[in-house]
Amino acid sequence: MRGSARIILVLLGPPGAGKGTQASRIAVHYDIPAISTGAMFREAVQRGTRLGRIVQKCRIDQGEYVPDEIVIDAVRERTSEPDCIPGFLLDGFPRTIPQADSLNAMLEQQGQALNGVLDIEAPINEIIGRFSGRRVCPVDGSTYHLVTQPPQQPGICDICHSKLIMRPDDNSDVVRRRLEVYEQKTAPLRDYYRNLGQLREIDATGDPETVFGQVVSVIEALKAQTTPVL
Ligand code: AMP
């Protein structure tokens, strides 16, 4: 895909709708980095960096959001790395209106524009089921599900062979809080992007493969429609 027009995409959708799974597939298919702010923060906490120490105080393990300025700085820095030249996919950013405004300003400054926003939606009962079975690799961040996407060897990461864990913020009380925060602070972004004509809804009820089929058709339509400035 390198050499073609730059692709800049946002994945929106409630926690547990399958954004991470789709993000990894999109990254491979279009050869662009998938930037997950959540994964960046978890890694920073694990490595004990300055960002990690700040983020830890924000109670992300309890489902609370990191303040906008910190998230925006982290994204600005990450997206200016050379691997983002062909484009990038943002998973979990923006999550608030000020973050979305900053992203627009950031792209505008570079003479760029978003190709589109994929809104990955699943019904609430399905989301709850997904959380209880979700397992992640603490080393490379890859995601599995006990039923729908099991690793080849139970409890072991296919990629780096580390022991899989349940994310601390996947326990039911924190999940409830995360969904609440999402409805309050992030769901308004659906209207924000719909009004900009950039929102594309994806029904994430099916298996990841079927959902990915929809995702690719939407991205192809967006690429055909938008001609971002190079
Ligand atoms: P995720 O892996 O996307 O579910 O993110 C995990 C947690 O990181 C979220 O529940 C938030 O606490 C924090 N986080 C990730 N992205 C953002 C963001 N864009 N704004 C604020 N907090 C975020």
Side-chain angles (χ1 to χ4, degrees), residues 37-38 41-42 60 64-66 71 92 95 99 167 178:
T37 40
F41 295 148
R42 283 188 291 279
I60 69 166
E64 303 304 329
Y65 279 2
V66 173
V71 191
R95 256 179 159 101
Q99 290 179 20
R167 262 172 57 173
R178 287 167 67 196

Side-chain angles (χ1 to χ4, degrees), residues 118-226:
L118 277 58
D119 181 24
I120 314 275
E121 291 291 331
I124 191 81
N125 52 351
E126 189 154 334
I127 287 179
I128 304 280
R130 287 179 186 188
F131 274 119
S132 57
R134 177 153 82 171
R135 297 294 180 271
V136 293
C137 172
V139 177
D140 64 30
S142 52
T143 305
Y144 302 86
H145 190 279
L146 295 180
V147 180
T148 55
Q149 209 187 340
Q152 283 158 12
Q153 237 185 304
I156 304 293
C157 174
D158 290 348
I159 301 163
C160 73
H161 309 293
S162 304
K163 204 163 176 273
L164 300 178
I165 57 159
M166 191 171 186
R167 262 172 57 173
D169 58 350
D170 277 357
N171 90 57
S172 55
D173 285 347
V174 182
V175 164
R176 211 168 305 125
R177 176 66 189 145
R178 287 167 67 196
L179 290 167
E180 231 172 64
V181 176
Y182 179 83
E183 268 318 305
Q184 197 189 350
K185 297 190 175 163
T186 307
L189 287 179
R190 284 200 290 253
D191 280 341
Y192 176 100
Y193 284 119
R194 195 176 284 121
N195 291 338
L196 291 173
Q198 291 177 319
L199 194 81
R200 298 293 180 277
E201 284 171 67
I202 308 276
D203 173 10
T205 313
D207 63 282
E209 195 58 47
T210 314
V211 178
F212 187 59
Q214 280 185 69
V215 164
V216 170
S217 354
V218 168
I219 297 176
E220 288 305 313
L222 285 168
K223 281 175 65 191
Q225 235 176 51
T226 337

